[in-house]
Structures are given as structure tokens and as C-alpha cells.
């Protein structure tokens, strides 16, 4: 598309949407039933976002096959984004169609939504959640805020107050990794993540994803590049945890829920 396809109005101060369709084009949603998104969903319709109008290109130059993949015969452009319309007609982008995957347990995973939840924790500045159809659980590469990490570890008595181990040393410490993973999974349960959406193992990246060129100009993760860059690390994370079945993951979530509830009572 050339220029905007939607825009918020001057009197709409709410966040979380990309506004309503621009006058130059139309926007519709198309059900993606295999991913569980349909225009009949309640309370709001959900599906792949499609755009048609004067601002939509006519196709890729001398590449008819590629053009046919993204343009319908009647000119609707398949954006690959999943979205929903709220009760005011505002469009909200949920995820990328190509980013969603299925675990071998049959559960569908929306990695960007999970990353958003984990990054909502003060400890985390960046998160890359990984899984695929041959796996039954998720692993993650997590970048932590050095100052918040020290405060957290001091409160947990993992390090002594006043001690100054380097951030790089903390990131490779197994006790630190375990404490951080427990904290993030507790945070996930508090934000209504299911047991199969929790992290089974993680790598603490000391330098940040941007250092390796793994972020787009809009600070989104280049998922394919990140997977290639961390493939050896990902394989090691799965090797470390061995085979974790759904029943053990459910038990882990129940334990986290109990400890979270007890913490709130106190």
C-alpha cells in the first residue's frame, strides 16, 4: 500500500488501534479458521486484514506468481496481518499470520502476544519466544534491564547487597536463569497465559537483539533472522530440558498459580 491505509481521528486519544479506514481505500477481515480467527468471533470479528483501493499497488513487476499470492482477482491485498474491529469501527492489529505456529500438542501460539506480556515485566527489555510444530513447549531469548535485574536478585537473596558481579556473569549463572524464568512465568500466569504459553527454558542475552541487527526500524523482531542467529542456542535449550510433556507443564503452572496466590494473600 502507498501511504496509510488507516488513521486515528484527531479526537480519538485511545491507544491500541490503528484507527479507521482511510478515505482512499476499504478494509475488510477474512476468516483464518485454521488459526482460530473468524469474522463471527465474539465480541469482535477477527481475521486477516485485507485492503482495496487507489493506494494499493497493481502487482509486482513481471512477477505474476508472487502477485497472485498477495492480490485477489478483484484487487484485495492480503496484508498477512491479523486484526479485529472494535465496537467503534477501529482496527486493531493482533499478530502476523505467518508468525503464529502450532506446537506438537496441537496448541496454537501467538509469539508476539507472549513477548508483549513478558516485556511488560520491569525486568525485561526485549524477548524472543520460540517454538515449532516438532516441539511441545516454548523457549525464549530474553534481554534484561541490568539495574532492575540487580534489584530483583538482591530481593531474592540470589546476590548480596553491594556485590557487583558483571551483567555478563549474571546472565550465564544458572541460579539467576532459574529465578528469572520463575518470575516471568509467574508474571505470565498473572496475565492469564495458559500452561503451554509459559517458558520451559531460556537464554539470557547480555547485549540486546539490536546489537546483532535482529530488529526492524520499527523495533519488531526479525523472526527468521533471530531463529538463524540463535539456532545453536535454541537447540541447546531444548537439550537441557529434555522431554517435558503437557502434564508436567500443567503441574508447573498450577504451582506458580498457588505461589502467586499465596504471595497476594501475604
Amino acid at each position: 500500500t502507498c501511504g496509510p491505509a488507516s488513521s486515528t481521528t484527531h479526537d480519538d486519544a485511545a491507544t491500541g488501534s490503528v484507527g479507521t479506514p482511510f478515505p482512499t481505500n476499504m478494509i475488510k477481515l477474512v476468516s483464518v479458521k485454521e488459526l482460530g480467527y473468524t469474522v463471527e468471533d465474539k465480541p469482535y470479528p477477527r481475521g486477516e486484514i485485507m485492503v482495496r483501493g487507489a493506494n494499493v499497488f497493481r502487482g509486482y513487476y513481471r512477477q505474476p506468481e508472487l502477485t497472485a499470492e498477495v492480490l485477489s482477482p478483484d484487487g484485495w491485498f492480503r496484508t498477512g496481518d491479523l486484526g479485529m474491529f472494535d465496537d467503534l469501527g477501529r482496527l486493531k492489529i493482533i499478530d502476523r499470520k505467518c508468525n503464529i505456529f502450532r506446537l506438537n500438542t496441537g496448541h496454537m501460539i501467538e509469539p508476539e502476544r507472549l513477548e508483549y506480556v513478558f516485556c511488560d515485566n520491569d525486568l525485561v527489555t526485549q524477548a524472543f519466544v520460540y517454538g515449532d510444530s516438532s516441539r511441545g513447549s516454548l523457549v525464549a531469548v530474553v534481554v534484561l534491564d541490568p539495574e532492575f535485574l540487580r534489584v530483583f536478585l538482591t530481593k531474592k537473596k540470589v546476590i548480596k547487597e553491594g556485590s557487583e558481579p558483571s551483567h555478563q556473569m549474571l546472565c550465564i549463572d544458572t541460579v539467576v536463569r532459574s529465578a528469572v524464568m520463575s518470575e516471568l512465568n509467574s508474571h505470565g500466569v498473572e496475565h492469564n497465559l495458559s500452561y503451554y504459553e509459559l517458558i520451559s527454558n531460556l537464554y539470557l542475552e547480555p547485549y540486546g537483539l539490536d546489537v546483532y541487527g535482529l530488529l526492524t526500524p520499527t523495533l519488531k523482531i526479525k523472526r527468521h533472522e533471530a531463529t538463524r542467529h540463535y539456532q545453536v542456542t535454541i537447540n541447546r535449550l531444548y537439550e537441557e530440558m529434555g522431554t517435558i510433556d503437557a502434564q508436567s507443564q500443567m503441574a508447573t503452572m498450577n504451582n506458580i498459580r498457588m505461589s502467586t496466590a499465596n504471595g497476594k494473600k501475604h
Side-chain angles (χ1 to χ4, degrees):
T1 60
C2 180
S6 65
S7 177
T8 53
T9 57
H10 70 281
D11 56 347
D12 183 6
T15 60
S17 81
V18 294
T20 54
F22 226 55
T24 55
N25 59 257
M26 297 179 288
I27 297 178
K28 70 175 181 178
L29 301 178
V30 176
S31 298
V32 187
K33 293 184 179 180
E34 65 271 21
L35 297 180
Y37 294 90
T38 73
V39 295
E40 288 83 24
D41 287 347
K42 304 296 181 183
Y44 304 120
R46 303 187 304 167
E48 182 178 4
I49 301 169
M50 300 185 71
V51 183
R52 184 173 73 175
N55 59 339
V56 175
F57 80 152
R58 290 182 293 173
Y60 292 106
Y61 183 63
R62 292 184 176 178
Q63 297 186 72
E65 295 84 5
L66 189 57
T67 298
E69 290 179 11
V70 298
L71 278 181
S72 68
D74 54 351
W76 285 98
F77 172 59
R78 304 179 182 93
T79 66
D81 288 321
L82 296 170
M84 57 172 272
F85 281 115
D86 66 13
D87 51 354
L88 296 179
R90 296 174 300 192
L91 179 64
K92 297 188 176 184
I93 297 177
I94 302 171
D95 210 326
R96 284 289 293 171
K97 182 179 177 182
C98 61
N99 287 344
I100 297 177
F101 57 85
R102 188 191 302 271
L103 296 175
N104 65 10
T105 57
H107 296 109
M108 301 302 298
I109 301 296
E110 303 169 65
E112 289 188 357
R113 180 175 65 86
L114 304 185
E115 290 158 1
Y116 178 84
V117 170
F118 293 131
C119 286
D120 186 55
N121 188 291
D122 289 337
L123 277 174
V124 181
T125 60
Q126 297 167 344
F128 168 52
V129 173
Y130 177 85
D132 61 50
S133 60
S134 67
R135 313 283 189 178
S137 55
L138 303 174
V139 296
V141 175
V142 177
V143 180
L144 302 176
D145 182 286
E147 296 304 319
F148 276 108
L149 177 61
R150 290 180 183 278
V151 172
F152 168 75
L153 295 177
T154 301
K155 287 183 178 180
K156 292 290 185 180
K157 301 187 186 307
V158 176
I159 61 174
K160 294 181 180 179
E161 189 169 357
S163 63
E164 297 185 356
S166 69
H167 186 63
Q168 289 80 3
M169 290 300 296
L170 290 175
C171 286
I172 62 175
D173 188 288
T174 55
V175 176
V176 173
R177 285 174 57 193
S178 178
V180 170
M181 186 164 71
S182 178
E183 167 67 18
L184 295 187
N185 282 337
S186 295
H187 181 79
V189 170
E190 290 176 1
H191 287 73
N192 301 314
L193 296 190
S194 298
Y195 72 93
Y196 55 83
E197 295 176 313
L198 302 181
I199 299 171
S200 295
N201 204 356
L202 57 73
Y203 169 71
L204 300 182
E205 170 57 66
Y207 299 112
L209 304 182
D210 50 317
V211 173
Y212 305 107
L214 301 179
L215 299 181
T216 69
T218 56
L219 303 182
K220 293 182 179 180
I221 297 174
K222 300 177 182 177
R223 310 199 76 84
H224 295 297
E225 289 86 343
T227 299
R228 285 197 298 268
H229 180 82
Y230 288 110
Q231 192 62 67
V232 174
T233 298
I234 289 169
N235 292 341
R236 188 179 72 247
L237 292 176
Y238 279 112
E239 289 171 2
E240 288 176 357
M241 54 188 275
T243 303
I244 295 182
D245 57 22
Q247 185 175 2
S248 65
Q249 285 181 302
M250 178 74 83
T252 298
M253 186 182 75
N254 288 336
N255 290 335
I256 292 172
R257 277 183 172 158
M258 291 177 61
S259 62
T260 301
N262 291 335
K264 287 180 178 178
K265 289 179 182 178
H266 295 304

